[in-house]
Amino acid sequence: MLMQMARDLSLGEAAKAIGVSADTLRRWDRAGKLRTSRDARNRRRVSAAEVRRLTARPQRHRTGTPASARNRFPGTVRSVEVDGVMALVEIQAGPHLITAAVTRDSVHELDLAPGVAATAIVKATSVMIERGAK
C-alpha cells in the first residue's frame, strides 16, 4: 500500500500508515524528525516518501534454511567432552570459539568428533549444533 501512495497524506492518514498517533507526528514535526508541508488551509501534509522513510525496516539476512534461527556459525568441531548424559562440544567458527552443552545422544546422532564440520546455531540463550559441510 505504501509503495502505491503518490499523493500527500493528511496528518491522521500518515499517523495511521506509520502506526503512531497524530500527536506524535506533530511532536516529530516540531523536533525536525518529520518533514511536512502545509496546504492552503495551513494543515500539515506528509508526503508518501516521508511515510515510506519512517516505516522502512532493514532487510534481514536469509539463513538459507527453513529453520527460524538466524545466527549460524559454520566451523569445525575442536573438542567433544562427554560426561554422563551431557556433553560439551567446542566449535571453531572463524575467529570464534563456541561451546555448546548438548546431550550425549546428540553427539552420537550427529557423529560429532574433532575435525568434523558442523554449524553452531544460536537462538536466544540456546546453542544447537547441526552437522554439515564447512
Side-chain angles (χ1 to χ4, degrees):
M1 176 187 153
L2 292 178
M3 298 308 278
Q4 297 171 355
M5 279 189 246
R7 62 178 181 82
D8 288 350
L9 288 84
S10 71
L11 205 63
E13 291 169 329
K16 185 175 181 181
I18 296 168
V20 298
S21 71
D23 284 339
T24 296
L25 291 187
R26 285 186 197 95
R27 282 192 303 277
W28 288 358
D29 187 27
R30 285 190 298 271
K33 295 179 182 179
L34 173 71
R35 292 182 290 270
T36 63
S37 59
R38 298 284 183 149
D39 65 10
R41 295 175 61 189
N42 202 31
R43 294 175 299 192
R44 287 180 177 95
R45 303 296 291 178
V46 181
S47 70
E50 188 69 348
V51 171
R52 283 190 296 274
R53 180 183 72 84
L54 292 169
T55 56
R57 301 290 182 264
Q59 181 69 30
R60 301 288 181 215
H61 68 278
R62 312 273 310 160
T63 64
T65 177
S68 64
R70 298 257 172 237
N71 303 308
R72 305 170 64 81
F73 300 92
T76 304
V77 175
R78 189 169 135 174
S79 69
V80 178
E81 296 176 29
V82 178
D83 184 21
V85 297
M86 295 302 294
L88 289 179
V89 179
E90 285 186 337
I91 294 180
Q92 187 74 50
H96 308 288
L97 182 60
I98 301 166
T99 303
V102 299
T103 64
R104 172 189 209 111
D105 290 344
S106 293
V107 169
H108 292 298
E109 287 173 19
L110 295 170
D111 199 22
L112 297 175
V116 168
T119 300
I121 304 166
V122 181
K123 182 167 177 113
T125 58
S126 299
V127 177
M128 300 166 275
I129 296 178
E130 169 182 276
R131 176 81 191 263
K134 187 174 177 184

